[in-house]
Amino acid sequence: MNSVAFYLLLLLLISVATPPSTTATTIGVTYSTPPSISPSSAALSPDRIAAQVVSMKIPAVRLLDSNPSMIRAFAYTNVSVFLSVPNPLVPLLASNRSLAMRWCYRHVLPFYPRTRITIISVGNDVVSYSPDVSPFLLRAMQNVHLSLADLRIYKISVSTTFSFFNVVPTAFPPSSAQFQEPTGEVIIRPILQFLERTNSSFLINLFPYNMYRSSFSIPIGFALFEEGPFNFRDDLTTGVRYRNLFDMMVDAVISSMAVMGHENLPVIVAETGWPSSGIDAGEVDATLLYSEMFLKALLAHLRSGGGTPLRKEGVAEVYVFELVEKEAKQGVRNWGLLHHNMTSKYSFEFSDGGKGRRFVEVLVGFFVEVVMLCLLM
């Protein structure tokens, strides 16, 4: 075999083995420990939940209650873990640096880096559920960030999670979106400055279902990623055509950040989904069929790597709410990917099963064999 042919084969092998420069969004799930203790709840041990996440090939999980036993269960799994500080603790962590250090000692230090903790959200939708706590958010975030630095932990980002519905009053057109005032100026602007300084991400709970229910002008197909003659919205200011509600809401967040001079901050969707049942009979669109349609289309859209019109790389991570349904109760929406007995509710696989990776592996194997045969000639 001549040297030119050999090097051509070698270059082809390298090009196939090298991953593409753009990667699709990381897609994870949320999980919180069931609030009540019952025989069925007890069966959902941390080890069982971690094993389920690994078996479903889910690369990231958001632990809404940051149970230390659950954090430990994800050690050595290669699943990235997103922790949350409960809202009632926010004022305490803000007022007392030693308490922030104590929280890190209990929830981070014993497990990191064996457990791949990547993000800590200080509070979850505090503006909505605990408005009196909002003024403490930034100081609590700073104290947690400084505590991690004191522990020589520098690769865990610190942020807080907002709810789209409570901080972005107008989603359309996205180019005109701004954060709700006075929350935007008083609470969000200084937090954006902190996130910029610390290379952290803006976290948002974003549910197209809620936006769809709030406006009669939004077709169900637009919310479910369906192609159709009426399933689009045009932003006349930018000339952009939106073909799904999810992208429109993401771009409304990006535009709102841009108004405050932080349009380049990474965005993580900390919660999203579509309920399979509603609180009452009036929620006619909270069905298993629509839930499955939304989730399948969302996963396909995110895996395509197409991003949104205002951000070609798209959002960095998306967490589907939620992994396991709570025990059935009247008047509670069901969102889980799995029933409480851990059986799947849906006919599709949440993970793509590494099909793209296996395809590359097959190609690499083929070219390795070709090179070896040529060397033997």
Side-chain angles (χ1 to χ4, degrees):
M1 178 184 181
N2 63 56
S3 59
V4 174
F6 172 77
Y7 283 117
L8 284 175
L9 279 171
L10 188 60
L11 286 172
L12 186 56
L13 174 61
I14 292 170
S15 67
V16 171
T18 303
S21 58
T22 58
T23 57
T25 300
T26 297
I27 306 168
V29 294
T30 71
Y31 179 78
S32 59
T33 306
S36 60
I37 298 177
S38 66
S40 58
S41 295
L44 300 181
S45 67
D47 288 339
R48 186 178 178 193
I49 293 296
Q52 183 69 34
V53 170
V54 171
S55 70
M56 293 173 70
K57 299 182 176 66
I58 298 174
V61 63
R62 181 187 182 196
L63 301 180
L64 289 165
D65 50 14
S66 297
N67 183 325
S69 297
M70 191 65 68
I71 301 171
R72 181 182 295 108
F74 282 96
Y76 306 109
T77 62
N78 209 33
V79 174
S80 65
V81 176
F82 173 159
L83 302 182
S84 298
V85 175
N87 291 348
L89 289 183
V90 171
L92 299 175
L93 301 189
S95 60
N96 192 326
R97 171 82 178 279
S98 65
L99 289 178
M101 177 65 80
R102 191 178 304 172
W103 191 91
C104 292
Y105 260 108
R106 183 165 189 257
H107 295 86
V108 179
L109 191 62
F111 316 111
Y112 182 83
R114 295 180 299 278
T115 299
R116 290 187 58 219
I117 302 167
T118 56
I119 314 167
I120 297 173
S121 174
V122 179
N124 180 34
D125 192 14
V126 169
V127 171
S128 171
Y129 289 106
S130 310
D132 54 325
V133 172
S134 298
F136 299 97
L137 266 176
L138 181 58
R139 175 56 64 185
M141 292 165 62
Q142 290 169 335
N143 282 347
V144 171
H145 176 74
L146 291 171
S147 297
L148 291 173
D150 288 345
L151 295 172
R152 299 181 182 275
I153 297 173
Y154 305 107
K155 293 184 179 180
I156 298 176
S157 63
V158 177
S159 187
T160 188
T161 305
F162 294 99
S163 171
F164 182 95
F165 217 59
N166 295 313
V167 298
V168 182
T170 305
F172 188 81
S175 59
S176 301
Q178 297 186 47
F179 290 122
Q180 178 80 54
E181 296 299 349
T183 301
E185 197 63 37
V186 176
I187 304 296
I188 299 180
R189 182 185 288 278
I191 285 176
L192 291 174
Q193 294 168 350
F194 169 83
L195 298 177
E196 193 85 62
R197 288 195 306 270
T198 59
N199 295 316
S200 300
S201 303
F202 186 79
L203 312 180
I204 190 84
N205 295 337
L206 187 151
F207 289 91
Y209 174 76
N210 292 339
M211 182 62 63
Y212 162 74
R213 289 194 72 222
S214 70
S215 176
F216 291 108
S217 66
I218 299 176
I220 184 71
F222 186 60
L224 295 175
F225 296 86
E226 286 191 310
E227 293 289 338
F230 304 106
N231 295 336
F232 66 87
R233 288 291 184 273
D234 290 329
D235 188 329
L236 298 180
T237 303
T238 59
V240 168
R241 172 163 290 187
Y242 287 91
R243 298 193 176 277
N244 66 77
L245 185 54
F246 181 87
D247 283 354
M248 195 178 83
M249 294 171 73
V250 169
D251 278 1
V253 172
I254 292 168
S255 292
S256 300
M257 294 194 304
V259 170
M260 296 188 166
H262 298 279
E263 65 272 17
N264 294 321
L265 274 177
V267 173
I268 290 176
V269 176
E271 290 179 16
T272 193
W274 193 284
S276 57
S277 64
I279 293 174
D280 53 47
E283 291 192 63
V284 295
D285 298 307
T287 67
L288 186 63
L289 173 62
Y290 284 158
S291 178
E292 179 160 342
M293 289 173 64
F294 174 83
L295 290 173
K296 284 178 69 175
L298 173 70
L299 298 180
H301 178 62
L302 296 174
R303 286 175 181 144
S304 73
T308 71
L310 294 187
R311 182 164 289 184
K312 296 305 179 185
E313 69 273 24
V315 291
E317 301 172 24
V318 170
Y319 291 82
V320 172
F321 184 84
E322 58 187 332
L323 178 64
V324 183
E325 281 185 354
K326 305 299 183 290
E327 291 181 275
K329 291 182 182 179
Q330 191 171 6
V332 176
R333 291 191 183 112
N334 290 316
W335 302 82
L337 292 170
L338 306 174
H339 294 294
H340 191 70
N341 63 5
M342 303 288 279
T343 59
S344 178
K345 284 169 54 179
Y346 302 103
S347 61
F348 69 94
E349 293 291 333
F350 183 86
S351 171
D352 64 2
K355 292 176 183 175
R357 184 180 68 252
R358 285 201 301 272
F359 177 69
V360 170
E361 289 171 352
V362 170
L363 283 178
V364 169
F366 171 75
F367 284 111
V368 166
E369 289 183 7
V370 171
V371 170
M372 293 301 295
L373 285 172
C374 291
L375 287 173
L376 293 172
M377 292 173 63

